[in-house]
Amino acid sequence: MIACKQVAKALAEHRYYELPWWRRIPMFVHIRLCVMCGKYHAQVVDMQKGVKNYLEHEEAGDVDPAYHLSDEAKERIKEALREKE
Ligand SMILES: [Zn+2]
């Protein structure tokens, strides 16, 4: 589990969607599980995803598959967490 400070630092210095998956997954898990900073960072991440979606939509004029991927990723994370319990 990464620390709140690491999440805040990463989000302050980078856009969520520009981070490599191996940095995003622990951040995503932390944001989902952490009561302290989860609410705030979930908003930041959603907002940044929204920006990405808009940019892609604008560029391609197409539906953004990132939302489907993120749903799938959410399920995978849930599964992974269940297995550890
Ligand atoms: Zn936290």
Side-chain angles (χ1 to χ4, degrees), residues 19 23 31 35 47 55:
L19 293 167
R23 288 194 68 184
I31 287 165
V35 184
M47 197 179 73
L55 291 174

PDB file of all heavy atoms in Angstrom, residues 19 23 31 35 47 55:
ATOM      1  N   LEU A  19       0.506   8.531 -16.340  1.00  0.00           N
ATOM      2  CA  LEU A  19       1.358   7.641 -15.566  1.00  0.00           C
ATOM      3  C   LEU A  19       1.296   6.230 -16.144  1.00  0.00           C
ATOM      4  O   LEU A  19       0.283   5.818 -16.694  1.00  0.00           O
ATOM      5  CB  LEU A  19       0.879   7.602 -14.106  1.00  0.00           C
ATOM      6  CG  LEU A  19       1.050   8.908 -13.312  1.00  0.00           C
ATOM      7  CD1 LEU A  19       0.250   8.826 -12.028  1.00  0.00           C
ATOM      8  CD2 LEU A  19       2.510   9.153 -13.013  1.00  0.00           C
ATOM      9  N   ARG A  23       2.131   2.409 -12.006  1.00  0.00           N
ATOM     10  CA  ARG A  23       1.994   3.468 -11.007  1.00  0.00           C
ATOM     11  C   ARG A  23       0.515   3.802 -10.765  1.00  0.00           C
ATOM     12  O   ARG A  23       0.135   4.226  -9.683  1.00  0.00           O
ATOM     13  CB  ARG A  23       2.733   4.729 -11.460  1.00  0.00           C
ATOM     14  CG  ARG A  23       4.248   4.561 -11.377  1.00  0.00           C
ATOM     15  CD  ARG A  23       4.954   5.880 -11.499  1.00  0.00           C
ATOM     16  NE  ARG A  23       4.710   6.734 -10.347  1.00  0.00           N
ATOM     17  CZ  ARG A  23       5.149   7.987 -10.239  1.00  0.00           C
ATOM     18  NH1 ARG A  23       5.823   8.509 -11.235  1.00  0.00           N
ATOM     19  NH2 ARG A  23       4.899   8.696  -9.179  1.00  0.00           N
ATOM     20  N   ILE A  31      -6.721   5.089  -3.717  1.00  0.00           N
ATOM     21  CA  ILE A  31      -7.817   6.060  -3.777  1.00  0.00           C
ATOM     22  C   ILE A  31      -9.139   5.381  -3.422  1.00  0.00           C
ATOM     23  O   ILE A  31      -9.983   5.967  -2.741  1.00  0.00           O
ATOM     24  CB  ILE A  31      -7.858   6.721  -5.178  1.00  0.00           C
ATOM     25  CG1 ILE A  31      -6.680   7.691  -5.307  1.00  0.00           C
ATOM     26  CG2 ILE A  31      -9.176   7.440  -5.401  1.00  0.00           C
ATOM     27  CD1 ILE A  31      -6.386   8.124  -6.726  1.00  0.00           C
ATOM     28  N   VAL A  35      -9.909   6.351   3.081  1.00  0.00           N
ATOM     29  CA  VAL A  35     -11.006   7.258   3.426  1.00  0.00           C
ATOM     30  C   VAL A  35     -10.493   8.691   3.483  1.00  0.00           C
ATOM     31  O   VAL A  35     -11.186   9.640   3.130  1.00  0.00           O
ATOM     32  CB  VAL A  35     -11.629   6.863   4.781  1.00  0.00           C
ATOM     33  CG1 VAL A  35     -12.827   7.747   5.105  1.00  0.00           C
ATOM     34  CG2 VAL A  35     -12.050   5.403   4.756  1.00  0.00           C
ATOM     35  N   MET A  47     -11.715  13.834 -12.922  1.00  0.00           N
ATOM     36  CA  MET A  47     -11.611  15.057 -13.692  1.00  0.00           C
ATOM     37  C   MET A  47     -10.555  14.902 -14.792  1.00  0.00           C
ATOM     38  O   MET A  47     -10.770  15.278 -15.932  1.00  0.00           O
ATOM     39  CB  MET A  47     -11.230  16.205 -12.753  1.00  0.00           C
ATOM     40  CG  MET A  47     -11.476  17.570 -13.346  1.00  0.00           C
ATOM     41  SD  MET A  47     -11.017  18.836 -12.150  1.00  0.00           S
ATOM     42  CE  MET A  47      -9.230  18.712 -12.200  1.00  0.00           C
ATOM     43  N   LEU A  55     -10.288  15.166 -24.849  1.00  0.00           N
ATOM     44  CA  LEU A  55      -9.230  15.362 -25.837  1.00  0.00           C
ATOM     45  C   LEU A  55      -9.264  14.278 -26.904  1.00  0.00           C
ATOM     46  O   LEU A  55      -9.125  14.547 -28.085  1.00  0.00           O
ATOM     47  CB  LEU A  55      -7.855  15.374 -25.146  1.00  0.00           C
ATOM     48  CG  LEU A  55      -7.575  16.591 -24.256  1.00  0.00           C
ATOM     49  CD1 LEU A  55      -6.262  16.399 -23.523  1.00  0.00           C
ATOM     50  CD2 LEU A  55      -7.552  17.883 -25.063  1.00  0.00           C
TER      51      LEU A  55
END
